[in-house]
């Protein structure tokens, strides 16, 4: 037996040494899931499997990097380094660099980030003369993203009656046209967005059998981390790759499936046994992270979900303290009490601030917490703030790097044209864009051959465009021949960016120069260690193109550049998944907040909210504290709040309740009704109370408490109370889909529902 296997418990050992055929490892929170994956790769290598034959897929570069480092420690650097290990996006991007030409993409295609696609979308909406308020770039991009994750091309989208009906009902009938134009502009720039990395990999394998067979033969063993978080596209690609020999091992926890809003489909893990009937199931149920109290509470909560793979998580850890409980009169008082609790615990236990985390359901809840922490002089950091690579000066320099790699990258080109100023104004840029559209070519093509495309600008502008094209061409030569650092250093100097910031008298100019220096330091480090191996493209190792791909695929979890500082961490529960802290505060445990009001229309949505609460509980190692407020400001209005139903799902013997008693939530039928509609595809609009047909608006004088009514926006509801007379008559109405609302009846257009 390999020496390193002695560090595993029996269940972990069994999961590691079983290597042939399909298998699923259900890993409870804190049960050593990452260890099993890491040791399994190491075990395969120790048994003589070629590292190039192993594919291990994760969800963050950070996790992949840590796993690869651990594998190299176990079996040696040479073997471990060559495993195909990385995120879905980074591995598929690597395959597309090699095989993308089948789909008409060059190996130097650009990957557009969030900022790039938003700028492009704004431009398209403007060009199509559409109202940006109606066609919000974020909304349109979300629709396109969900379409791509469901593997719907622009043509498929335009022919799908369900999605077209949703767009028309929301008065956005031109999304199908925007999607088509958006994809055309990406292709014109030799660019892909993040969703394209999945969509195009699936399309590549579906369309070209020889390419699929090549990678089926290459990857003899496939390992997938966090399988419960895979979306439809990821699921199908994995299934394509594993179809040849079915040596597939998926690891995950259905109880921690919380990303449906991103397209994750819990059915992928629940139905694994249907996809592979002869699969083996391994359960890791021993929790090494949390106290017995926390584990018991988490089990009590999650057992209320119907759709799950049954398991019983347990621990040999200490019993630990009871669960803390904070009841506050308002959200500001809640913040104050949480801050006081952190201060007292830290002083009594002599713990650093970094041992504490405050988790909330929505980002807006951070305000009250921040104010309270500042008043107590407690340092904090909001996880998921502005990333280093999103800062303006970094984006400016990266634009030149991107152009050096791919001159057709229009978003990078437009940014580089404007910074530093080159005397090329908006009018000229618009003329270039019109000429490119007319001829169906890239902006770079027009800049290089202005006469050929009839670009009507004066001689001075032509000279400046020629100088710009010459400069970018020289950068491109450097990027292809020199190592990443040498090329980047030359670009930083010759682009004029360094000169611009050195001559800037603004206080922030020094900081911007320091950030550019830090970027160059990162590229220097990258050049020295070499880029991730790219089989079939060895000349690109250590080149600027490889560094740019690494940057483009960074996630929030990979860009936490301040993780060693001593501060309290504030974050949403979604962002906290995969992390752990000795002391965790879960705040805002109120109906319509946690669980979210949007989750109360289907069982599937409510069960996801419960899984989210389960994830929050299991982030804690030593103690978890739950809090809620009786009142909370929402949209400038003071609303009363009921305690979350999730509080009632934990046995009272596990909760410390000083003074205030934990109150049972009011069993309001509209909140607790068991909705039994089957889960539907996330992409197609869910059936809600808004779809209930209603009659003509009622006379406000006829409306009385207890009536069942319908509102044009909020759907079905029940009148709780009525006050006032004439034009000032108001009503408090509880809506199934939107919670409690105070309405001025002369404008509300309420209609009475029969029955």
């Amino acid at each position: 037996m390999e020496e390193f296997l002695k560090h595993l418990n029996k269940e972990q050992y069994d999961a590691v040494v079983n290597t042939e055929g399909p298998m699923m490892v259900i890993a409870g929170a804190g049960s050593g899931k990452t260890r099993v994956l890491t040791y399994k790769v190491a075990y395969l290598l120790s048994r003589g499997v070629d590292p190039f034959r192993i594919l291990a897929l994760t969800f963050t570069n950070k996790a992949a990097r840590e796993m690869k480092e651990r594998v190299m420690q176990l079996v040696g650097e040479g073997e471990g380094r060559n495993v195909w290990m990385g995120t879905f996006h980074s591995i598929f991007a690597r395959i597309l660099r090699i095989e993308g030409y089948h789909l008409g993409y060059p190996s130097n295609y650009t990957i557009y980030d969030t900022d790039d696609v938003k700028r492009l979308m704004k431009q398209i909406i403007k060009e199509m003369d559409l109202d940006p308020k109606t066609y919000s770039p974020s909304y349109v991009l979300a629709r396109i993203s969900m379409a791509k994750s469901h593997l719907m091309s622009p043509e498929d989208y335009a022919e799908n009656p369900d999605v077209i009906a949703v767009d028309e009902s929301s008065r956005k009938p031109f999304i199908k046209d925007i999607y088509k134009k958006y994809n055309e502009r990406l292709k014109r720039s030799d660019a892909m967005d993040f969703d394209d990395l999945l969509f195009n990999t699936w399309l590549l394998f579906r369309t070209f059998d020889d390419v699929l067979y090549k990678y089926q033969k290459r990857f003899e063993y496939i390992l997938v981390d966090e399988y419960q978080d895979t979306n439809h596209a990821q699921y199908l690609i994995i299934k394509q790759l594993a179809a040849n020999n079915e040596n597939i091992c998926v690891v995950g926890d259905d109880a921690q499936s919380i990303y449906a809003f991103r397209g994750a489909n819990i059915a992928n893990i629940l139905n694994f046994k249907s996809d592979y009937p002869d699969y083996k199931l391994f359960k890791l149920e021993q929790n090494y992270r949390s106290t017995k109290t926390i584990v018991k509470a988490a089990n009590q909560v999650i057992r209320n979900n119907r759709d799950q793979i049954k398991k019983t998580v347990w621990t040999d850890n200490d019993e630990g303290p009871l669960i803390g409980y904070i009841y506050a009169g308002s959200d500001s008082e809640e913040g104050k009490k949480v801050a006081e609790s952190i201060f007292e615990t830290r002083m009594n236990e002599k713990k650093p601030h970094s041992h504490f985390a405050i988790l909330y359901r929505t980002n807006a809840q951070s305000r009250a917490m921040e104010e309270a922490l500042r008043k107590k002089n407690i340092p904090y950091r909001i996880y998921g703030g502005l990333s280093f690579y999103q800062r303006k000066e970094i984006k400016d320099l990266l634009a030149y790097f991107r152009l050096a790699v791919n001159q057709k990258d229009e978003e990078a080109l437009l940014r580089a044209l404007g910074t530093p100023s080159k005397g090329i104004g908006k009018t000229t840029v618009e003329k270039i864009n019109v000429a490119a559209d007319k001829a169906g070519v890239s902006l770079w093509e027009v800049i290089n051959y202005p006469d050929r495309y009839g670009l009507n600008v004066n001689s001075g502008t032509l000279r400046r465009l020629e100088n710009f094209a010459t400069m970018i061409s020289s950068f491109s030569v450097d990027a292809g021949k020199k190592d990443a650092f040498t090329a980047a250093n030359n670009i930083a100097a010759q682009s004029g960016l360094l000169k611009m910031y050195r001559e800037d008298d603004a206080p922030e100019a020094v900081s911007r120069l320091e950030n550019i220096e830090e970027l160059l330091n990162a590229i220097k480090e990258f050049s020295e260690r070499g880029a991730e191996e790219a089989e079939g493209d060895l000349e690109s190792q250590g080149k600027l193109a490889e560094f740019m791909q690494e940057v483009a695929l960074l996630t929030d979890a990979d860009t936490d550049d301040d993780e060693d500082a001593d501060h309290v961490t504030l974050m949403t529960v979604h962002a906290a998944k995969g992390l752990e802290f000795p002391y965790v505060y879960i705040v805002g445990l109120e109906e319509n907040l946690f669980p979210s009001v949007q989750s109360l229309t289907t069982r599937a949505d409510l069960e996801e909210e419960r899984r989210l609460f389960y994830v929050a509980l299991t982030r804690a190692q030593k103690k978890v504290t739950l809090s809620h407020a009786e009142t909370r400001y929402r949209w400038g209005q003071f609303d009363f709040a009921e305690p979350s139903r999730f509080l009632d799902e934990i046995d009272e013997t596990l909760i410390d309740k000083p003074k205030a008693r934990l109150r049972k939530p009011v069993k309001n039928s509209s909140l607790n009704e068991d909705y039994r509609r089957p889960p539907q595809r996330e992409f197609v609009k869910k059936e809600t109370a808004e779809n209930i047909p209603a009659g003509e608006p009622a006379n406000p004088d006829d409306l009385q408490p207890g009536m069942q009514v319908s509102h044009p926006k909020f759907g079905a509801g029940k009148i709780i109370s009525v006050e006032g007379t004439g034009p000032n008559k108001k009503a408090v109405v509880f809506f199934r889909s939107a919670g409690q609302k105070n309405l001025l009846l002369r404008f509300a257009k309420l209609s009475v529902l029969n029955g």
Side-chain angles (χ1 to χ4, degrees), residues 11 66 151 215 240 295 394 405 493 513 544 679:
E11 290 75 19
E66 290 172 352
L151 303 175
Y215 287 94
Q240 286 173 318
V295 169
I394 300 302
V405 174
L513 276 172
L544 196 56

Side-chain angles (χ1 to χ4, degrees), residues 331-332 363-372 374 570 633:
D331 49 357
S332 59
N363 280 304
Q365 291 171 256
S366 73
R367 181 194 58 80
M369 296 297 144
E370 288 184 74
E371 290 180 1
R374 282 198 297 267
L570 277 66
Y633 272 109

